[in-house]
Amino acid sequence: MVQPAKRSPANWDLEERWQILMDNVKDYAIFMLDADGRIATWNEGAERILGYTEDEILGREFCDIFTPEDIGRNQPEAELEGAKLRGRAEDERWHLRKDGSRFWAAGIVTALWDDAGKLRGYAKILRDITDRKLAQEKHLEESRRRDEFLAVMSHELRNPLAGIANAVEVLRRVPSAPDMVDVVARQTATLRRLVDDLLDITRITTGKVPLKRERVSVQDIVECAVADVSALVESSQHTLHVELSSETIVLDADAVRLRQVVDNLLTNAAKYSPPGSTIDLRAERVGNELLLTVRDNGIGISAELLPRIFDMFIQADRTLDRSQGGLGIGLTVTQRIVQMHGGSIEAKSAGVGRGSEFMIRLPVVPDVDGTMSTPVASTTSQKKVLKILVAEDNRDSAATIAILLGSLGHQVEIAHDGSEALKMAGEYQPDVILVDLGLPVLSGYDVAKRIRQQSALRKACLIAVTGYGSPEDVERSKKAGFDHHMVKPVPFAELEKLLAALG
Ligand code: ADP
């Protein structure tokens, strides 16, 4: 059946077409101005976007929807002038709604002429694109912060590197120079912390770190963290007061990660306080929560920075003096870890120069059976000599680890690629094989798989050594047949402990 002719827009009269168009285009404000710049028509979209009804706005000045700043710069007149000269003017700017709020609009204004060449008025079409504008600004801010972060990171990496390079030079020229080993150890610890932070930033903030939860006592965690920062506290001549409630507070938590949290807060308190300051750490149970507070009387945090203090890459401005170091991610990671444990963290400061206070709240578990794991296991003294094969293509790393293992009394051989490692493993029959996963010729994974196929080597302990430490990396090395997975640079004390346990 043929549709009634009246339904087709082609058959609508001009008035009807105009009205239907104006009423239905709600995403765009479409309105006309007379030649003097007064608003002459107003569609539904304009009412929705700008908040004025037709009755309220008709006859008012075009400039009423502009911000005072733009009015001060004569923008409304310039826009109409531009349309008159070039036919149309396009722009993006903030506009004002009836309620005084602002929105970012993309607009176009067209001059309307009659056949006699007389200016009759203007047509303006605009759209609210605030969401897009805010997203763009967020993106820009993020990339600005990322660029700044990369600059800070290279700066931070250079500092410990310079320290190590200098110490090596000193040793070359004055082999008997005292304390150089301490310098290298300290700077290496800084480098390790920076690299750990870099890994954490992606893993923790994207939630890729599974928590290894167990019963842990707050007292143990605090004790370890205090030991971790003792050298920094001492070298800054700070006084650290620790106040722990006498009652054992037990948490269901990842001891390593919580220790990292307390480490971060104490390290910051020490870093951002002038020498000789006082730092207070207090842990108590309040209802079903642990309340852990770290307070310092240091440089404090400005009211402007405080609300953003847990954001990634945020640091107080210290363009000239960056000697405090850090990447501006410690507090982000700290907050994520606390949240992953179902807790919260809050920062307080009365302002610059007036100290800071960080408060952590974490749910407490009632200590039912009293069984808790202790974070630090003691090393046992064993003296079994192990035959160890080190498969590592970096000759310096291989040689130094071999010396260290030899100093423990073990027998050590070195292979520099995968196929040499396989061959030597068959001949040497080691008890332990340390395998760098990125070996040339045959990868560390392939070496492990082939060793696991040899019955003579079934009992050998295979340790993967790699720069990659995500749960997926650990799983992959386990699948290939490794017993342990260690991330470079392997803390030697940890390796020593592992070998002692094997012995
Ligand atoms: P980093 O210390 O590596 O810069 P953080 O994320 O740990 O990064 O801290 C972010 C910023 O917060 C620091 O750069 C510093 O400006 C400020 N801040 C953190 N803790 C304190 C504190 N205790 N006192 C003053 N400022 C602090």
Side-chain angles (χ1 to χ4, degrees):
M1 204 175 107
V2 181
Q3 288 287 323
K6 225 179 164 325
R7 310 300 306 161
S8 156
N11 293 332
W12 295 340
D13 62 34
L14 198 58
E15 178 101 2
E16 201 179 3
R17 278 187 219 173
W18 165 258
Q19 203 52 53
I20 287 173
L21 179 67
M22 290 300 113
D23 290 349
N24 285 279
V25 181
K26 296 200 174 76
D27 287 338
Y28 289 83
I30 305 175
F31 52 97
M32 292 208 302
L33 311 175
D34 63 21
D36 297 326
R38 286 179 202 286
I39 295 169
T41 71
W42 197 245
N43 81 329
E44 284 227 6
E47 179 172 339
R48 199 181 65 79
I49 294 173
L50 286 131
Y52 295 97
T53 61
E54 204 173 5
D55 288 347
E56 289 166 333
I57 198 84
L58 291 191
R60 282 175 64 168
E61 300 268 355
F62 174 49
C63 62
D64 285 358
I65 64 166
F66 281 74
T67 62
E69 304 90 274
D70 277 351
I71 293 173
R73 288 192 291 262
N74 293 328
Q75 285 302 322
E77 293 82 356
E79 204 169 279
L80 299 186
E81 206 52 37
K84 237 187 321 187
L85 284 175
R86 293 183 295 278
R88 61 182 197 143
E90 254 180 279
D91 64 23
E92 285 191 11
R93 66 172 76 250
W94 291 108
H95 275 293
L96 278 190
R97 295 192 188 92
K98 179 186 163 188
D99 63 8
S101 61
R102 290 171 182 228
F103 65 99
W104 187 257
I108 177 165
V109 59
T110 310
L112 306 172
W113 308 91
D114 65 14
D115 292 345
K118 187 168 176 257
L119 178 73
R120 299 296 305 272
Y122 305 88
K124 170 94 183 180
I125 301 178
L126 63 78
R127 195 152 70 100
D128 179 351
I129 53 165
T130 312
D131 288 350
R132 195 205 297 169
K133 170 78 174 166
L134 295 181
Q136 267 169 0
E137 279 179 358
K138 187 162 169 251
H139 182 71
L140 275 178
E141 168 65 12
E142 276 170 6
S143 69
R144 191 194 58 72
R145 276 207 245 152
R146 195 159 304 140
D147 288 350
E148 197 181 300
F149 167 72
L150 287 174
V152 169
M153 185 179 74
S154 12
H155 179 277
E156 292 306 312
L157 290 173
R158 257 177 236 286
N159 271 344
L161 270 184
I164 294 168
N166 287 345
V168 169
E169 206 50 44
V170 170
L171 285 175
R172 198 171 273 149
R173 289 161 194 255
V174 194
S176 60
D179 303 335
M180 281 310 109
V181 171
D182 291 343
V183 172
V184 173
R186 237 183 350 257
Q187 299 303 328
T188 310
T190 306
L191 267 181
R192 188 196 297 275
R193 211 177 50 234
L194 288 171
V195 174
D196 282 351
D197 271 4
L198 279 176
L199 272 181
D200 278 354
I201 193 179
T202 38
R203 291 167 49 211
I204 293 189
T205 52
T206 53
K208 283 204 180 132
V209 175
L211 293 180
K212 290 194 199 112
R213 281 178 181 249
E214 55 194 344
R215 293 256 170 110
V216 288
S217 96
V218 173
Q219 279 82 352
D220 284 341
I221 289 171
V222 169
E223 219 168 87
C224 292
V226 168
D228 292 340
V229 300
S230 63
L232 176 63
V233 169
E234 214 167 283
S235 66
S236 319
Q237 295 138 33
H238 295 322
T239 309
L240 174 59
H241 287 304
V242 179
E243 205 179 310
L244 292 175
S245 69
S246 52
E247 153 203 33
T248 307
I249 307 172
V250 183
L251 305 175
D252 178 35
D254 185 323
V256 175
R257 291 299 173 189
L258 278 198
R259 178 171 166 178
Q260 185 181 358
V261 162
V262 184
D263 271 4
N264 271 347
L265 296 185
L266 288 176
T267 305
N268 279 352
K271 277 197 311 188
Y272 301 114
S273 299
S277 299
T278 304
I279 300 166
D280 290 297
L281 187 161
R282 206 184 142 93
E284 61 191 321
R285 184 174 172 159
V286 180
N288 288 330
E289 282 184 335
L290 157 74
L291 176 62
L292 188 143
T293 314
V294 174
R295 194 172 46 215
D296 62 64
N297 53 4
I299 64 168
I301 303 165
S302 70
E304 189 259 324
L305 185 68
L306 199 57
R308 299 179 296 134
I309 199 86
F310 295 105
D311 288 359
M312 189 105 70
F313 311 143
I314 285 290
Q315 297 186 308
D317 188 20
R318 50 190 132 96
T319 27
L320 291 177
D321 171 19
R322 289 216 44 91
S323 60
Q324 298 313 328
L327 298 172
I329 55 186
L331 285 180
T332 314
V333 167
T334 298
Q335 185 187 43
R336 275 301 294 146
I337 296 176
V338 171
Q339 287 171 342
M340 283 161 79
H341 282 89
S344 63
I345 181 166
E346 195 186 334
K348 282 187 182 167
S349 172
V352 173
R354 304 184 59 189
S356 311
E357 189 176 12
F358 286 82
M359 277 170 299
I360 288 177
R361 289 187 174 77
L362 283 166
V364 164
V365 284
D367 187 15
V368 188
D369 55 12
T371 49
M372 278 173 301
S373 70
T374 22
V376 223
S378 58
T379 39
T380 52
S381 56
Q382 60 79 46
K383 276 291 153 211
K384 178 171 190 266
V385 175
L386 295 168
K387 285 164 78 179
I388 303 177
L389 174 63
V390 174
E392 164 68 80
D393 60 323
N394 182 312
R395 287 173 189 260
D396 290 340
S397 290
T400 45
I401 194 93
I403 295 172
L404 287 172
L405 293 171
S407 75
L408 295 178
H410 301 303
Q411 285 174 16
V412 189
E413 293 289 334
I414 297 175
H416 290 299
D417 67 49
S419 103
E420 194 186 351
L422 212 52
K423 186 163 162 275
M424 285 180 70
E427 292 164 7
Y428 181 49
Q429 294 290 311
D431 303 304
V432 178
I433 313 180
L434 281 165
V435 187
D436 172 27
L437 289 182
L439 284 177
V441 186
L442 204 60
S443 82
Y445 295 111
D446 291 332
V447 171
K449 279 181 201 152
R450 299 217 196 157
I451 284 177
R452 285 296 174 231
Q453 286 160 4
Q454 299 181 30
S455 53
L457 287 168
R458 209 179 307 126
K459 284 207 185 119
C461 172
L462 284 183
I463 304 174
V465 180
T466 163
Y468 302 100
S470 73
E472 299 87 65
D473 298 319
V474 176
E475 191 52 40
R476 189 170 168 209
S477 70
K478 202 165 144 194
K479 263 201 192 129
F482 283 101
D483 301 298
H484 300 277
H485 185 105
M486 300 189 106
V487 177
K488 286 182 192 177
V490 173
F492 193 67
E494 220 169 274
L495 183 57
E496 183 180 2
K497 215 187 294 178
L498 177 62
L499 296 176
L502 290 176

